[in-house]
């Protein structure tokens, strides 16, 4: 039996995609999505089918198996005295590369450390990086294995403490065994916003690649020393509304940045588990991200 063809954003009405973005980010609940999507389907069952079609399929999108022999992967706890006290993340490094390696902090979306972000972390490790993805939900028991439950748990976090957990992770990675002293960060959606924030808090951060995330607090932009790759979707009114003022602040502060905003893309276009995925745009965004990290992180720190 042939595989079911991958659905694309263009298969859905733009209003459905807007509703889905609101649902994913907690602006409306499941009932709100089903009510709105029912206009584009036959009854409630049809609306539920639309939601199911938009839901992530982790297994189908997995690129690197968790037990890939080319990698060494484990979960690592680390102290976060200003945050939740103890935090945990997924640490992956190449199995056979010797010598100090560059380090990348990976920040998940608003569902915690799910299988997709673990896979992205392994993808980075295969490129010759030590990659570490904290789970913001660890203080609440960790990623629960279900996206809806994860979103609900995420809303319970004290974000002030969570931000400190990610700062603690970055500081831990600066001196991690096998690292070369250089550090980059990449994050998606919530993680994009966190990447922007970390760039304002870590004057020794070398590079940041925030994907469709909220801008950093503008008063902190003059503190950014990292090179930035700002990745935005074209059709993302919610996030893009903050870009003009953020760009003006980056220019005013003299921050070295590049904007990549591929046409026709939706928020989440790099996530290959859902129909919002845009293969060509995601490939180019990943290429640019790796180029940024290659240029800024490969040389050992002075």
């Amino acid at each position: 039996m042939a595989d079911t063809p991958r659905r694309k954003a263009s298969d859905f009405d733009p209003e459905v995609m807007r509703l889905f973005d609101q649902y994913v980010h907690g602006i409306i609940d499941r009932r709100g999505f089903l009510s709105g999507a029912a206009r584009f389907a036959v009854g409630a069952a049809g609306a539920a089918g639309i939601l199911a079609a938009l839901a992530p399929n982790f297994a189908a999108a997995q690129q690197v198996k968790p037990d890939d022999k080319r990698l060494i992967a484990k979960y690592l706890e680390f102290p976060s005295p200003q945050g939740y006290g103890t935090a945990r993340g997924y640490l992956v490094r190449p199995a056979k590369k010797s010598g100090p390696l560059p380090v990348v902090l990976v920040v998940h979306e608003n569902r915690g450390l799910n299988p997709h972000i673990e896979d992205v972390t392994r993808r980075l490790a295969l490129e010759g990086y030590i990659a570490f993805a904290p789970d913001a939900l660890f203080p609440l028991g960790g990623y629960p294995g279900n996206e809806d439950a994860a979103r609900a748990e995420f809303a319970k976090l004290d974000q002030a403490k969570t931000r400190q957990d990610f700062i603690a992770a970055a500081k831990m990675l600066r001196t991690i065994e096998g690292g070369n002293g250089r550090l980059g960060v990449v994050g998606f959606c919530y993680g994009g916003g966190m990447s922007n924030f970390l760039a304002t808090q870590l004057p020794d951060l070398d590079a940041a690649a925030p994907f469709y995330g909220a801008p950093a607090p503008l008063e902190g932009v003059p503190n950014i020393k990292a090179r930035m790759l700002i990745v935005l979707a074209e059709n993302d009114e919610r996030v893009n509304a903050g870009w003009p003022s953020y760009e003006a602040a980056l220019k005013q502060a003299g921050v070295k940045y590049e904007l990549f905003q591929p046409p026709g893309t939706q928020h989440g276009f790099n996530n290959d588990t859902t129909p919002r995925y845009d293969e060509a745009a995601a490939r180019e965004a990943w290429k640019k991200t790796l180029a940024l990290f290659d240029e800024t992180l490969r040389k050992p720190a002075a």
Side-chain angles (χ1 to χ4, degrees):
M1 182 176 178
D3 292 338
T4 303
R6 180 191 287 270
R7 301 290 293 274
K8 299 179 180 180
S10 58
D11 295 331
F12 302 87
D13 189 279
E15 176 63 13
V16 169
M17 300 307 296
R18 188 182 70 82
L19 288 166
F20 185 67
D21 184 76
Q22 292 180 335
Y23 168 65
V24 167
H25 295 97
I27 300 170
I28 60 175
D29 60 12
R30 180 184 178 90
R31 179 178 296 179
F33 175 86
L34 294 177
S35 176
R39 291 176 288 155
F40 305 92
V42 180
I50 290 175
L51 183 56
L54 289 167
N57 185 333
F58 297 129
Q62 185 182 87
Q63 293 186 22
V64 188
K65 294 184 180 299
D67 60 353
D68 192 302
K69 300 303 182 184
R70 297 170 294 176
L71 302 172
I72 299 172
K74 67 177 182 179
Y75 295 96
L76 175 70
E77 294 187 9
F78 59 96
S80 179
Q82 304 302 315
Y84 273 102
T86 301
R88 189 176 91 143
Y90 183 58
L91 180 68
V92 191
R93 65 177 74 218
K96 295 184 178 180
K97 284 189 176 292
S98 59
L101 297 176
V103 184
V104 176
L105 175 65
V106 183
V107 191
H108 53 62
E109 300 153 317
N110 67 333
R111 276 93 72 198
L113 184 59
N114 63 19
H116 169 64
I117 295 299
E118 290 191 343
D119 192 49
V120 170
T121 307
R122 293 191 293 270
R123 297 175 199 179
L124 273 167
L126 281 183
E127 297 290 340
Y129 295 93
I130 297 173
F132 184 66
D135 185 0
L137 288 178
F138 176 69
L140 304 182
Y143 176 71
N146 174 280
E147 294 286 278
D148 284 343
R151 266 191 296 274
E153 288 298 292
F154 210 83
K156 301 175 184 177
L157 288 171
D158 180 333
Q159 285 299 322
K161 290 184 177 180
T162 298
R163 286 191 290 269
Q164 290 299 320
D165 284 348
F166 279 99
I167 290 173
K171 292 180 177 179
M172 179 271 294
L173 291 174
R174 272 292 178 194
T175 57
I176 195 166
E177 182 181 358
N180 70 352
R182 291 195 178 274
L183 177 65
V185 59
V186 60
F188 310 90
C189 186
Y190 169 87
M194 183 62 71
S195 299
N196 282 318
F197 169 76
L198 289 174
T200 70
Q201 301 296 305
L202 304 170
D204 57 350
L205 186 68
D206 295 291
F211 280 61
Y212 30 80
L218 299 185
E219 65 274 14
V221 171
N223 299 328
I224 297 177
K225 306 302 179 187
R227 273 184 53 189
M228 307 282 290
L229 170 66
I230 311 290
V231 179
L232 298 176
E234 181 181 53
N235 303 313
D236 193 359
E237 181 179 353
R238 178 180 54 83
V239 169
N240 293 350
W243 172 240
S245 57
Y246 189 29
E247 182 178 36
L250 291 170
K251 289 181 176 178
Q252 178 67 28
V255 176
K256 295 181 179 179
Y257 77 93
E258 175 187 354
L259 171 66
F260 179 59
Q261 189 173 24
T265 49
Q266 304 282 333
H267 180 94
F269 74 82
N270 191 73
N271 186 331
D272 50 2
T273 71
T274 82
R276 295 189 292 181
Y277 174 61
D278 185 306
E279 183 176 3
R283 185 186 303 113
E284 185 64 20
W286 191 245
K287 178 181 176 182
K288 286 180 174 291
T289 300
L290 293 179
L292 172 68
F293 290 161
D294 281 347
E295 294 166 10
T296 56
L297 307 182
R298 295 291 184 189
K299 184 178 179 180

